[in-house]
Structures are given as structure tokens and as C-alpha cells.
């Protein structure tokens, strides 16, 4: 197996164009497991560890441009204010060791329905930046996932960044697992309120073939929330929102949990996260 | 590196620290620094790597095996099948029912079919995958009760009794008792894995005499040796076992894994062969805890005194017997729990199926029974309207009580006191103050800020036998030597006892220091050049190997004292009189001499169970622990956080107080795992979660504060009065936690582990 070590993004893109079967590796959270279990034997690994362009983030035009290999630890420490939903999700990823190495690019690249970064990116309306020697394009994260572990990434492309709108209101993320740390989501939920646009974003994890948005729930909440006079959220609205989120899920029974439990839990998470987010609105925070 | 690296080096314990103290472990620094050589670190310049081809099917006939495609892989030295087993292609701890390599049938997913030796592990694994096995897939028998039904496929035609491995009947007192208050229930316990951190591994080195030196992480060198000899067709002097660094055991290393396979490959190739299982393979490489179905009925007076216990216990032994018979005996004889019950009727049955083989795991049959009888005691308390502790205390076993086997409990049994001690501890504070997600169910996954969270408290108490039971000739051998080295008296201790992380090497040094009055003790590597120490299991090594080391020390001491008139003891590197007066310097008394004694030491004999009634002096010692669990449950999501897990345990004598607390906390956490997360999920005989991604064990964030109260009521029959420590905390932790979850949720929860679905759906 070849181990390619480009020193710049240009070199990385050239290498990927030349070796489309090369598997990019940054933190290796998923890639190393697949190699160790002999489930995957690519002809080459493309190490992105030396590509400085991918390990940076910055703000431009109201977006945060978050490089693909910025670690979850840095997301927690540096982006808690501008991308609170993603930072909350980042805090639940694996162990401290994994969070020190792993980033959003790999999560997207694996395109697992259980990826912890996906629900907050969906809820925030993020776009994925894909680059190749042919040029750069962006894809809305909702269109990026095509199926379980399948994405819109072309074989000569690399995920270079995500473009995430700066939070315009409270955001929340919650994840159910069967232990209290280091656990893959049984199901998860991301929520983003935009108090200026009076819109609601959602993202569902681990309860469908891809991460999902709950479009009906978003529309319902946008219409039902008392934006003009933000008082305490009434129980019926929270409950209906939860039910609509649960209805948007397409879960299956598997080793981590049953479909029925996932739907139930999503309704609870959606209800709770909406209340927490709305507390911030009504509390003027 | 040479083949004799640190794994066969002696461990030296210096300074002070006799029995009852907590000196540092001689292997502790190495382990903490990551420098300890585990069996997976074995190395030899010329070694080959072995790999195992396993059956993907739980039940299938083998029509043919073609090793040809594997042999063509460059770097492959040899590919072996059952045809290459020179001795008997059979092994097993109780029944030799398991083939070294499958012949014409595979009975579980993961059964070894062929083995490969190659230049590197990758090549070996890939070559193994190229062996062509033509299977005729059969419908597996996956339900233990269905396996006993007429017409079920007979999985071991040579075994008398069809798929029944063993049934134990306990008949005590009135055969048809009645009681005014009756509670009944059916309980199930899932398949728990020992989840040790160091996967199965070892290295076989062919010797010039045609024999083999086998370095392996195991629990009982001599049991391995016996089985390896049979399979290889070699005499014991040709099969020499050496203990390699053991990364945890918990019962999972009692059965053979790679021992014979590596030896076969080494003998055939003439080169050292190393085999290391990966984590996924490890789930198929050892036995698990028996899943169980337990149907109980308890009858009591209106005052809450037990009148009778009736129970039917079914243990799924899986494809091969392993220790199923002994597990069945334990679940039966301990099935009424640590209570005085005048009338007991228990049928306990161990069964063959095509599920993964089950055998030894910490608690060994007593764990499953404890979950059921403790769940019943809570039910009884509720029916009587008294507290869970009260109903237990009213019926608590005590010294002089009679077990359902008719055995009189002839040493301390402070069951009531243990319960009262955990009950009387102050409760942990209620949640309060600013939001800290780590203090809530779900932790930083941010699933609740307090919504739906209800606190519950639950209790459990259990009884475990210590040592091998039912008439087994349970002994250990110790060789102790005393000599002067570099001007200092040094004791060396040589046994075949497996240090698996529990701290036996520390304890051996403490005993030698106490008995011989020396500071410096060398613990020689465990191997088969000294007699058997028995298994590191059944909470028995402190008792049995501890007893053997003490006896050997006493023999050495006697020989030394005989040299000095008026001598009564050894202390402070001197020979002393009865009044403690120094009579002579030990260095001078010994001079150039080496005083060495080897002692084979036995505990009191036990008896086989009467086949009709189970009557017998079956167990040499009983051990007891009690837990109080405090949990917070998110009742809407079904997520649990154990807030505190307090334990009280009688250890007879705390030989090493720090190690005792460590064992109690470790056992408690293993019970916590069974209560809320640990289960090998098997569907149609196929394991669905053979990885630490989906077989979850508690992390530090799942592990609560665990205050421990250690009681020391000496057992006059045991060395130093000690009582085995390792297993009892694993029993009562699980039912205490489940009881606490019941208290918080009102759910019946008849199954361990409790999954979120069970709490949410009832």
C-alpha cells in the first residue's frame, strides 16, 4: 500500500487526481478501523496531516469556513460561540484522544448515518466544499449524503471544508447512547433557531439511511413558535414538534436499538432541545 | 530480542509489607509505565505467525476442505486441518467434547476449521481466508429449552443424554410446602463477555527433544498442559508451559484457545509460532457467561419468613460443554441465595445448543441465580409491605445455618450485617447546583437537563462458593527456597499459579516475608516445572496457593529453626526465641546453604452432590457481599446513571487491603456492566456485536463512587482466616442496580442487562 504525503492542498488534489482510489486519511477514526479489520485494502492512503490549508478555520461573509481536518477538540474550544450546535456535538465524539485527532471532514467522508457532526451541520444549513484539480464546488449538506456510507464526493475530489452559517440564534444537540461516554449514537438530534429569519433547522442522526432533516417539523415550529412575544413554550407545540421529528425519521432495528425506541427517543430529544433553545430566546440570551 | 524476554523474568519484591499490609505490586511499575511484557509482546527472530480459519456458520456439515489455494500464497509455510492433529482431536475442561480442528461438523459460529503459519500475520490471515470449505448449512439449535425437546437435533451424538449436559436437583425439606404469601417470576440474563483487554495470544517454540515450550496467557498452566499433551500425543515432560503476561482473565482463559494450534504449527514447521487474536476474533476465541432463564417461586409467612423456594434454571451452554456442568452445580447449590430456607426445590439444567460456547466467568453460575433470587426478594418485600433490606435481614443466613444441600455454614456468614452496613451509609446528595451534564444520565451527550430524571435506590446480596467444589481434588503446589544472596537472606517462591492482574505475586511475597522474616522475596516465573497450582479462578488462589506458599515457608522455617537451640521463629532477618529475643543472624545460620521445600497443599475435602437430592458438603467456603445502588434514571429515554454503588464484604482477613478494595470495586463494575449494558447479542446463533464498538463495557464516566466496607471475620479453616474476594461483588452489584432502576421507574425489569427500551416500554 502506498502512503502519499502531500505537503499542500495543491499537491493533495494532484495526488488524488492521479490516484483516485487513494483513501484520504486525517484522524483515521474510521479508516484505521476498516484497515485493521481488513474490510478495506485501498492501493494507497492519502495522508492529509501535512496540508495546512485543511487545518484552519476562519469567518467569511457570515459563514465559518471550517477546514476538514480541524480537530473536534479545537471545535469545542474555539467555536463554541459561533457554531454552538456543532461544538456540542463535537464534545460527544469518542474519547479525548479521538477528539484530538478527528475532524468533520472524515465524518462527512465516511457518510455514516451515525456521524455526530451531521445533525448540527444539517440544522445549521451548512454546505460542504469539495475540491479537485478540476475546481471547487459546494454542495448543501442535505444533498451530500446519498445513502448509507455513500456521498456526492467524486472520486478525484477531497472534502476541503464545511461552510457553516454563523449561529443566528440558540442551537442544541443531543445524542442517545447506551453508555455515558464513548458511544455511537443510537439516535441524535440537532436543532438551530434563526431568530432573525424566524426559521428552524433540524438534523436527525442514526435513524435513517442518511442523516435527515425533519422539514415538516421545521415548518411547523417556524410557524408555531411565539417569535413576537417570546414567552415560555407551550407544551402542545413542543410535543407536536417532537412528533413531527419522530415521523421524519426512517429508523431500523439493529444491534444498537429498535426502530420504535429511536422514534420515541427522537420525539423526546426534539421536544427537550426545542424547550432549551426557546428558553434562551425567551430569556433574552 | 531473545525469546526469553521479560515475560520469564522473576519479579522481586523488596522492603516491608507482610500479610495485612499493602506493599507495592512488584509488577505494578512495569504495567503503569507500559513496559510489562504481555503475551501479545512475545517475540522471536525466527518466528512465524499463525492464523485460524473459523466457521461462519453456527451449524453446518463440512463436505470438504481444500487447503490448496491457501498454500499457494507466498510466505505461507503450512496449512493444517483436523487430519494433522497427531494425538486426540478432542479437548475440554470437563468433557473432552471439542475438536482442536473441526472434522465433519461445525457447531458454532467461530469454530476453528484450519490453521495457517506464515511469515507475517497479514499473510497468515489472508491465506486462511483462501482455504475452501464446502459447508452444508444446517438449521441451528438456538433455544436452550427447544434443545431439550423431543426431536431436537442431537448436537453431540457420542454424549449420553442428548443435548442435556447436566441437570442438578436440589431437594430439601418438605416436597409440597405451602405459604400464605407467594411471589413468582421469570427472569433472564443475557450473555456477558469477560472483555479482558489482552486478547488470546502466545507462542509455541519447538525444542530439540521433539517437545515444545509454550508461552501463553492462561489461568491454569497444568490444565492446558494436560489437554495439549493429549492433542499432540506427547508426554508431559515434552510439553512445557510458561506463563506469559496475562492481560485479564475473568474465566475466559480457562479453556484452550490458541495453545494446541500454535504447538501444531511449531512442531510441523520447526519454527516458533506466535498467534495473537484480534479483538473481533477474541469474541469467538473464548467462552462467555451462560445466558439463563430462571423461573422462581418464593413462599413466605405473613411475617416475611421464607417458607420455600422453588426454581427452574436453564443455562445455555452453547456448542461445547466447557465448564457448564460445574456452572450448573453452582447455580443449583447457591440458587436459594444467602437465606435460611426450610424447603427448597431446584432443577438446574445446562444444555448444548449451537450458540457460542459458554463456561467460566467471574461469579460462575451464582451471578445468574443471584439476579433472580434477589429480584424475587424485592418482589416479596413489596408483597409484604416491608423494606427490601428488612425482608432480607429476616431471612439472612448466619453461621450455623443449613444450606439447601444440607451443608452447615461453619464459619462467619454476616449477611444481615453486610446489608445493614450498606443501608446505614449516608445517601449521596441529591442533584443540585448549576447544571453539570456529567452528573446526569446521558452525560455530555446532553439528553436531559433534569427532565424525566428520577432517583432510585436498590439492594442486593449474594453468596458465592470459594474454591473448586463437589469433591474436586483442589490443591496447589509451592516451592520455597531460602538462601543468602549478596549478604542478605532472600526467599524465592516458585509456583505455577497464574497472575492475571489480581495481585497474587504481591501476596506471595507478603506471605514469604511474614513467615520467613526476610525483606527480599523473589517470585519466580510460573511454569510447569513445579507442580500444579490449580486454576486462577473461583476466588481461590489466595486461599489455596496462599496456603501452599505458607505451608512451604513453614517447612523451610522449621528446617532453619532446627539449627538453633531454643529458636521459635524468624523475624527481621534473624532467628528469634519465643519471647522475640534475637538468637542468631539468619545470614550466619544459613551460611552457604540453600534450604528448599516443596509442598502440595489441599483445603478440606468437599463431597459430590447426591444425584437425587443434591445433598453434600459441596463447598469448602462461602463468601458474601452486599450492595446498595443509587441510580438516576431518565424515565422518558430509559438512560441510566449509577450515582453510587456501595459495597460491604466479609473477606475473613484483608491480606492486602488495597488489593481487596480493588477487587471489590472491579467486581462491582463488572456487575454494573451486566446490569445496564454488557451483552453479546446472538441471533440465530450468529454474534452481532463482536467488537468494543457495540459490546459496551463501562467507561470511567459510567463508574460511580464505590465506597467499600471490608469486614474481617476470620474463617478458622482457611489460611490466615482469609475468605476469597474476587467474585462475590460481581453477584450482588447487578440485582442492586436493577432494583434501583425498578424503584425509579416502577417497571418490572425481569431481564439483565436492562436496555433503554425496557424502561421506556415496560
Amino acid at each position: 500500500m502506498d502512503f502519499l504525503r502531500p505537503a499542500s492542498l495543491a499537491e493533495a488534489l494532484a495526488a488524488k487526481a492521479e490516484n483516485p482510489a487513494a483513501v484520504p486519511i486525517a484522524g483515521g477514526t474510521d479508516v484505521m478501523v476498516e484497515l485493521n479489520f481488513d474490510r478495506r485494502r485501498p492501493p494507497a492512503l492519502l495522508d492529509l496531516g501535512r496540508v495546512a490549508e485543511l487545518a484552519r478555520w476562519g469567518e467569511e461573509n457570515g459563514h465559518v469556513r471550517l477546514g476538514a481536518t480541524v480537530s473536534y477538540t479545537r471545535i469545542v474550544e474555539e467555536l463554541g460561540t459561533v457554531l454552538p450546535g456543532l461544538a456540542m456535538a463535537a464534545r460527544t465524539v469518542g474519547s479525548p484522544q479521538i477528539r484530538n485527532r478527528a475532524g468533520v471532514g472524515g465524518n462527512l467522508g465516511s457518510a455514516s448515518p451515525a456521524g455526530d457532526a451531521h445533525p448540527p451541520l444539517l440544522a445549521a444549513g451548512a454546505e460542504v466544499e469539495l475540491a479537485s484539480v478540476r475546481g471547487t464546488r459546494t454542495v448543501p449538506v442535505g444533498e451530500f449524503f446519498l445513502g448509507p456510507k455513500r456521498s456526492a464526493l467524486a472520486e478525484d475530489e477531497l472534502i476541503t471544508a464545511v461552510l457553516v452559517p454563523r449561529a443566528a440564534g440558540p442551537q442544541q444537540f443531543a445524542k442517545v447512547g447506551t453508555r455515558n461516554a464513548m458511544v455511537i449514537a443510537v439516535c441524535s438530534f440537532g436543532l438551530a433557531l434563526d431568530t432573525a429569519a424566524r426559521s428552524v433547522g433540524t438534523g436527525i442522526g442514526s435513524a435513517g439511511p442518511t442523516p435527515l432533516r425533519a422539514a415538516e417539523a421545521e415548518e411547523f415550529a417556524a410557524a408555531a413558535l411565539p417569535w413576537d412575544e417570546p414567552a415560555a413554550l407551550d407544551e402542545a407545540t413542543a410535543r407536536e414538534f417532537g412528533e413531527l421529528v419522530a415521523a421524519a425519521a426512517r429508523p431500523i432495528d439493529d444491534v444498537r436499538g429498535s426502530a420504535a425506541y429511536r422514534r420515541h427517543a427522537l420525539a423526546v430529544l426534539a421536544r427537550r432541545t426545542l424547550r432549551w433553545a426557546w428558553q434562551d430566546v425567551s430569556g433574552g440570551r | 530480542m531473545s525469546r526469553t524476554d521479560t515475560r520469564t523474568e522473576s519479579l522481586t519484591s523488596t522492603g516491608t509489607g507482610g500479610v495485612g499490609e499493602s506493599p507495592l505490586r512488584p509488577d505494578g511499575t512495569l504495567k503503569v509505565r507500559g513496559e510489562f511484557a504481555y503475551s501479545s509482546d512475545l517475540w522471536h527472530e525466527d518466528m512465524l505467525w499463525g492464523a485460524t480459519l473459523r466457521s461462519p456458520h453456527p451449524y453446518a456439515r463440512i463436505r470438504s476442505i481444500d487447503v490448496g489455494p491457501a498454500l499457494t500464497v507466498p510466505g505461507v509455510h503450512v496449512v493444517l486441518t483436523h487430519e494433522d492433529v497427531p494425538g486426540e482431536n478432542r479437548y475440554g475442561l470437563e468433557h473432552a467434547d471439542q475438536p482442536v480442528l473441526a472434522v465433519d461438523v461445525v457447531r458454532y459460529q467461530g469454530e476453528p476449521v484450519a490453521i495457517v503459519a506464515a511469515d507475517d500475520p497479514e499473510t497468515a490471515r489472508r491465506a486462511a481466508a483462501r482455504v475452501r470449505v464446502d459447508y452444508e448449512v444446517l438449521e441451528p439449535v438456538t433455544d436452550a429449552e427447544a434443545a431439550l425437546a423431543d426431536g431436537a437435533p442431537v448436537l453431540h451424538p457420542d454424549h449420553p443424554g442428548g443435548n442435556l449436559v447436566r441437570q442438578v436437583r436440589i431437594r430439601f425439606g418438605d416436597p409440597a410446602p405451602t405459604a400464605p404469601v407467594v411471589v413468582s417470576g421469570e427472569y433472564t440474563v443475557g450473555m456477558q463477555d469477560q472483555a479482558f483487554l489482552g486478547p488470546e495470544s502466545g507462542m509455541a517454540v519447538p525444542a530439540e527433544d521433539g517437545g515444545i515450550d509454550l508461552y501463553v496467557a492462561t489461568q491454569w498452566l497444568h490444565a492446558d498442559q494436560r489437554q495439549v499433551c493429549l492433542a499432540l500425543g506427547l508426554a508431559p515432560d515434552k510439553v512445557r508451559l510458561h506463563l506469559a503476561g496475562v492481560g485479564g482473565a475473568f474465566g475466559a482463559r480457562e479453556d484452550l484457545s490458541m495453545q494446541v494450534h500454535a504447538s501444531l504449527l511449531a512442531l510441523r514447521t520447526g519454527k516458533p509460532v506466535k498467534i495473537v487474536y484480534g479483538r473481533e476474533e477474541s469474541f469467538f476465541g473464548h467462552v462467555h457467561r451462560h445466558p439463563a432463564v430462571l423461573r422462581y417461586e418464593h413462599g413466605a409467612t405473613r411475617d416475611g419468613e421464607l417458607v420455600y423456594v422453588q426454581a427452574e434454571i436453564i443455562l445455555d451452554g452453547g456448542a461445547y460443554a466447557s465448564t457448564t456442568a460445574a456452572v450448573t452445580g453452582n447455580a443449583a447449590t447457591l440458587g436459594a441465595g444467602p437465606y435460611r430456607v426450610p424447603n427448597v426445590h431446584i432443577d438446574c439444567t445446562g444444555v448444548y445448543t449451537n450458540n457460542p460456547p459458554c463456561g467460566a466467568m467471574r461469579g460462575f453460575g451464582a451471578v445468574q441465580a443471584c439476579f433472580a433470587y434477589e429480584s424475587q426478594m424485592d418482589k416479596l418485600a413489596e408483597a409484604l409491605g416491608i423494606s427490601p433490606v428488612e425482608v432480607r435481614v429476616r431471612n439472612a443466613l448466619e453461621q450455623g445455618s443449613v444450606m439447601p444441600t444440607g451443608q452447615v455454614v461453619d464459619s462467619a456468614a454476616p449477611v444481615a450485617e453486610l446489608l445493614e452496613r450498606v443501608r446505614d451509609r449516608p445517601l449521596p446528595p441529591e442533584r443540585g447546583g448549576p447544571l453539570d451534564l456529567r452528573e446526569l444520565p446521558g452525560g455530555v451527550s446532553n439528553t436531559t437537563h433534569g427532565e424525566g430524571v428520577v432517583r432510585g435506590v436498590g439492594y442486593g446480596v449474594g453468596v458465592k462458593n470459594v474454591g473448586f467444589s463437589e469433591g474436586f481434588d483442589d490443591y496447589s503446589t509451592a516451592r520455597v527456597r531460602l538462601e543468602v544472596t549478596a549478604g542478605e537472606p532472600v526467599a524465592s517462591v516458585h509456583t505455577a499459579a497464574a497472575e492475571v492482574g489480581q495481585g497474587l505475586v504481591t501476596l506471595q511475597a507478603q506471605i514469604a516475608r511474614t513467615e520467613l522474616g526476610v525483606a527480599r522475596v523473589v517470585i519466580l516465573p510460573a511454569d510447569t516445572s513445579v507442580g500444579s497450582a490449580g486454576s486462577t479462578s473461583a476466588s481461590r488462589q489466595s486461599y489455596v496457593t496462599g496456603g501452599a506458599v505458607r505451608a512451604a515457608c513453614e517447612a523451610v522455617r522449621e528446617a532453619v529453626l532446627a539449627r538453633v537451640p531454643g529458636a521459635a521463629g524468624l523475624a527481621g532477618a534473624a532467628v528469634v526465641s519465643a519471647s522475640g529475643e534475637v538468637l542468631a543472624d539468619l545470614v550466619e545460620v544459613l551460611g552457604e546453604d540453600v534450604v528448599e521445600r516443596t509442598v502440595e497443599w489441599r483445603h478440606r475435602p468437599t463431597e459430590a452432590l447426591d444425584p437425587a437430592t443434591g445433598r453434600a458438603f459441596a463447598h469448602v467456603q462461602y463468601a458474601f457481599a452486599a450492595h446498595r445502588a443509587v441510580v438516576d434514571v431518565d424515565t422518558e429515554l430509559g438512560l441510566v446513571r449509577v450515582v453510587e454503588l456501595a459495597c460491604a464484604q466479609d473477606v475473613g482477613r484483608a491480606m492486602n487491603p488495597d488489593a481487596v478494595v480493588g477487587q471489590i470495586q472491579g467486581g462491582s463494575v463488572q456487575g454494573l456492566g451486566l446490569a445496564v449494558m454488557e451483552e453479546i447479542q446472538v441471533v440465530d446463533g450468529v454474534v452481532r456485536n463482536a467488537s468494543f464498538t457495540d459490546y459496551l463495557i463501562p467507561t470511567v464516566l459510567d463508574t460511580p463512587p464505590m465506597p467499600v466496607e471490608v469486614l474481617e471475620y476470620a474463617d478458622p479453616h482457611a489460611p490466615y482466616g482469609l475468605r476469597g474476594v474476587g467474585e462475590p461483588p460481581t453477584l450482588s452489584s447487578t440485582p442492586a442496580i436493577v432494583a434501583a432502576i425498578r424503584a425509579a421507574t416502577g417497571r418490572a425489569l425481569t431481564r439483565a442487562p436492562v436496555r433503554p427500551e425496557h424502561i421506556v416500554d415496560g
Side-chain angles (χ1 to χ4, degrees):
Chain A
M1 191 191 303
D2 291 329
F3 191 66
L4 311 172
R5 302 204 66 201
S8 68
L9 182 58
E11 278 183 37
L13 296 177
K16 186 62 173 153
E18 248 175 70
N19 307 274
V23 172
I25 181 165
T29 313
D30 292 335
V31 173
M32 286 313 298
V33 172
E34 298 208 314
L35 294 182
N36 287 338
F37 277 85
D38 213 5
R39 285 184 199 133
R40 195 169 186 182
R41 194 55 41 153
L45 286 177
L46 181 61
D47 173 28
L48 301 177
R50 298 203 299 170
V51 182
E53 295 96 316
L54 300 178
R56 289 199 280 259
W57 68 268
E59 290 198 64
E60 45 192 54
N61 308 325
H63 283 68
V64 173
R65 186 179 177 282
L66 174 66
T69 66
V70 174
S71 72
Y72 286 113
T73 299
R74 286 186 59 200
I75 293 172
V76 172
E77 289 172 357
E78 300 168 23
L79 292 167
T81 313
V82 285
L83 304 179
L86 183 63
M88 292 166 98
R91 198 177 170 198
T92 76
V93 173
S95 59
Q97 294 91 331
I98 290 171
R99 292 195 288 276
N100 286 340
R101 294 282 300 174
V104 169
N107 221 196
L108 288 165
S110 296
S112 158
D116 290 321
H118 304 153
L121 292 178
L122 275 168
E127 299 198 327
V128 187
E129 184 187 276
L130 306 173
S132 69
V133 290
R134 296 176 287 120
T136 297
R137 62 179 179 134
T138 58
V139 178
V141 71
E143 294 167 27
F144 178 76
F145 304 110
L146 303 179
K149 309 210 168 178
R150 287 191 299 116
S151 73
L153 186 68
E155 64 172 12
D156 64 342
E157 284 180 319
L158 292 174
I159 299 166
T160 45
V162 282
L163 308 175
V164 196
R166 190 186 166 92
Q171 299 188 345
Q172 284 289 338
F173 174 80
K175 160 172 140 182
V176 169
T178 41
R179 76 179 164 196
N180 292 319
M182 273 190 75
V183 68
I184 293 180
V186 173
C187 62
S188 60
F189 183 68
L191 176 73
L193 301 188
D194 185 332
T195 49
R198 299 190 168 186
S199 65
V200 175
T202 60
I204 296 171
S206 256
T210 66
L212 299 166
R213 278 179 55 202
E216 268 187 67
E218 292 176 358
E219 285 161 28
F220 164 77
L225 286 169
W227 301 98
D228 287 322
E229 292 178 55
L233 185 62
D234 73 84
E235 183 59 27
T237 302
R239 205 159 275 279
E240 177 66 14
F241 179 69
E243 296 310 317
L244 288 170
V245 167
R250 288 190 280 144
I252 55 168
D253 291 333
D254 67 17
V255 73
R256 292 176 196 142
S258 68
Y261 174 75
R262 287 184 158 105
R263 268 191 210 284
H264 165 84
L266 279 169
V268 175
L269 294 183
R271 197 164 79 213
R272 289 182 181 174
T273 51
L274 184 63
R275 281 203 208 102
W276 301 335
W278 196 254
Q279 266 165 24
D280 288 351
V281 175
S282 60
R285 274 182 282 169
Chain B
M1 259 190 281
S2 74
R3 78 166 192 240
T4 49
D5 50 22
T6 51
R7 74 187 171 270
T8 54
E9 274 174 23
S10 303
L11 293 166
T12 302
S13 175
T14 55
T16 58
V19 166
E21 298 176 69
S22 298
L24 288 179
R25 304 174 59 121
D27 55 345
T29 306
L30 289 172
K31 285 179 172 172
V32 170
R33 291 170 65 98
E35 292 167 354
F36 183 80
Y38 288 98
S39 54
S40 51
D41 299 319
L42 292 162
W43 193 265
H44 194 290
E45 297 91 10
D46 299 326
M47 73 185 183
L48 303 176
W49 293 76
T52 311
L53 175 71
R54 296 172 183 275
S55 165
H57 307 295
Y59 193 29
R61 220 175 297 290
I62 296 175
R63 291 201 194 94
S64 65
I65 304 173
D66 178 7
V67 301
L71 282 170
T72 64
V73 176
V76 168
H77 289 246
V78 68
V79 183
L80 304 180
T81 68
H82 67 90
E83 291 178 354
D84 303 293
V85 179
E88 275 196 59
N89 185 21
R90 295 265 151 183
Y91 73 95
L93 286 167
E94 291 173 353
H95 305 288
D97 63 354
Q98 191 157 2
V100 171
L101 290 166
V103 183
D104 49 8
V105 62
V106 286
R107 296 182 178 86
Y108 72 98
Q109 181 204 16
E111 180 159 353
V113 176
I115 48 176
V116 178
D119 288 334
D120 61 83
E122 211 51 12
T123 302
R125 275 197 288 275
R126 290 178 159 208
R130 295 185 62 170
V131 173
R132 281 199 206 114
V133 185
D134 183 11
Y135 292 104
E136 178 194 346
V137 176
L138 303 172
E139 185 70 27
V141 180
T142 59
D143 180 273
E145 294 189 73
L148 293 175
D150 290 339
V154 175
L155 299 178
H156 293 268
D158 299 342
H159 174 77
N163 294 328
L164 176 70
V165 178
R166 186 188 188 194
Q167 183 170 59
V168 175
R169 295 186 187 86
I170 305 293
R171 301 289 184 268
F172 183 66
D174 184 349
T178 57
V181 182
V182 174
V183 292
S184 60
E186 178 174 316
Y187 305 91
T188 53
V189 176
M191 185 185 290
Q192 189 179 19
D193 189 65
Q194 298 85 351
F196 51 45
L197 291 185
E200 293 83 349
S201 44
M203 180 158 64
V205 183
E208 282 177 5
D209 64 354
I212 198 109
D213 281 278
L214 180 58
Y215 299 82
V216 65
T218 182
Q219 291 179 236
W220 189 356
L221 289 166
H222 285 81
D224 286 10
Q225 183 190 39
R226 173 179 62 79
Q227 296 173 87
V228 173
C229 284
L230 275 177
L232 299 182
L234 290 175
D237 66 325
K238 292 282 173 61
V239 178
R240 298 165 292 263
L241 271 78
H242 311 262
L243 188 70
V246 183
F250 313 108
R253 295 187 210 273
E254 284 195 21
D255 296 80
L256 294 184
S257 58
M258 46 58 65
Q259 285 89 331
V260 180
H261 297 161
S263 300
L264 288 172
L265 293 169
L267 287 173
R268 182 64 77 94
T269 59
K271 284 169 172 276
V273 174
K274 174 174 175 174
I275 295 182
V276 180
Y277 291 176
R279 179 55 60 192
E280 184 178 16
E281 185 173 21
S282 177
F283 276 93
F284 299 97
H286 60 254
V287 300
H288 314 291
R289 190 188 298 293
H290 289 73
V293 176
L294 310 100
R295 300 188 185 97
Y296 268 71
E297 183 175 298
H298 279 59
T301 67
R302 293 194 198 284
D303 293 334
E305 278 184 27
L306 286 172
V307 177
Y308 69 86
V309 172
Q310 287 182 0
E312 181 188 18
I313 302 171
I314 317 276
L315 298 161
D316 184 347
Y320 294 99
S322 180
T323 50
T324 292
V327 169
T328 304
N330 266 14
T333 55
L334 305 170
Y339 301 110
R340 289 175 281 106
V341 194
N343 309 293
V344 177
H345 183 291
I346 294 174
D347 287 341
C348 184
T349 309
V351 183
Y352 281 128
T353 66
N354 293 117
N355 288 323
C358 289
M361 182 176 171
R362 195 177 198 170
F364 204 78
V367 161
Q368 294 91 329
C370 187
F371 176 64
Y373 63 68
E374 286 300 89
S375 298
Q376 282 284 104
M377 292 305 278
D378 286 335
K379 219 177 218 189
L380 184 59
E382 202 183 330
L384 293 163
I386 61 176
S387 80
V389 171
E390 185 56 34
V391 75
R392 287 169 168 86
V393 167
R394 279 186 204 179
N395 295 285
L397 202 72
E398 47 197 30
Q399 184 164 356
S401 298
V402 182
M403 295 292 285
T405 52
Q407 181 173 352
V408 175
V409 178
D410 61 5
S411 68
V415 175
E417 182 182 350
L418 294 170
L419 285 160
E420 287 159 352
R421 280 182 179 261
V422 292
R423 180 195 62 193
D424 294 342
R425 295 189 64 82
L427 282 162
E430 293 290 326
R431 276 185 308 105
L435 177 67
D436 183 346
L437 290 173
R438 291 168 303 181
E439 292 181 354
L440 288 159
V444 298
S445 292
N446 189 39
T447 48
T448 179
H449 295 176
E451 299 93 329
V453 177
V454 180
R455 181 155 288 190
V457 178
Y459 293 88
V461 61
V463 53
K464 177 69 184 57
N465 57 320
V466 173
F468 280 29
S469 298
E470 296 188 48
F472 190 88
D473 181 22
D474 195 18
Y475 69 94
S476 180
T477 315
R479 180 177 298 152
V480 172
R481 146 196 199 118
L482 187 60
E483 65 198 304
V484 176
T485 304
E488 188 187 357
V490 177
S492 7
V493 180
H494 189 191
T495 74
E499 166 67 55
V500 302
Q502 82 279 36
L504 184 65
V505 288
T506 322
L507 190 65
Q508 289 176 329
Q510 290 176 251
I511 292 172
R513 208 172 274 134
T514 295
E515 300 300 333
L516 298 176
V518 298
R520 194 174 192 83
V521 183
V522 176
I523 306 301
L524 296 166
D527 57 37
T528 50
S529 71
V530 62
S532 174
S535 181
T536 295
S537 55
S539 308
R540 67 178 282 287
Q541 284 295 27
S542 296
Y543 192 131
V544 189
T545 290
V549 171
R550 183 174 75 164
C553 287
E554 285 168 349
V556 167
R557 190 175 61 205
E558 243 172 75
V560 174
L561 296 185
R563 299 172 176 210
V564 182
L570 297 175
V575 177
V576 297
S577 70
S579 63
E581 183 195 349
V582 173
L583 301 177
D585 191 299
L586 184 54
V587 170
E588 282 165 21
V589 174
L590 285 170
E592 303 275 295
D593 294 350
V594 172
V595 181
E596 181 181 288
R597 294 290 182 274
T598 303
V599 172
E600 202 171 271
W601 191 86
R602 287 171 165 73
H603 61 62
R604 295 184 288 166
T606 58
E607 299 169 351
L609 302 180
D610 179 284
T613 63
R615 214 175 160 75
F617 183 88
H619 302 305
V620 68
Q621 188 184 58
Y622 294 103
F624 309 91
H627 280 90
R628 182 189 69 193
V630 179
V631 304
D632 277 343
V633 184
D634 182 336
T635 54
E636 287 183 303
L637 287 175
L639 301 179
V640 175
R641 175 172 177 267
V642 182
V643 174
E644 188 196 76
L645 187 56
C647 183
Q649 182 169 338
D650 173 29
V651 304
R653 172 85 191 272
M655 300 288 285
N656 181 318
D658 283 358
V660 161
V661 170
Q663 282 290 309
I664 292 172
Q665 293 183 327
S668 299
V669 175
Q670 212 150 18
L672 183 158
L674 179 60
V676 295
M677 64 182 82
E678 291 191 39
E679 183 175 9
I680 296 183
Q681 298 186 38
V682 182
V683 176
D684 299 330
V686 175
V687 175
R688 297 180 70 204
N689 56 338
S691 75
F692 279 168
T693 305
D694 284 313
Y695 184 89
L696 298 182
I697 56 176
T699 70
V700 70
L701 288 181
D702 302 281
T703 304
M706 292 182 286
V708 173
E709 285 195 62
V710 174
L711 275 56
E712 297 184 78
Y713 293 118
D715 177 351
H717 311 285
Y720 304 103
L722 73 84
R723 203 174 286 285
V725 173
E727 292 171 288
T730 313
L731 273 57
S732 42
S733 156
T734 307
I737 292 166
V738 175
I741 302 172
R742 284 191 201 107
T745 62
R747 300 296 195 188
L749 304 179
T750 55
R751 185 177 201 288
V754 176
R755 295 179 61 86
E757 290 94 313
H758 305 148
I759 295 172
V760 169
D761 305 335

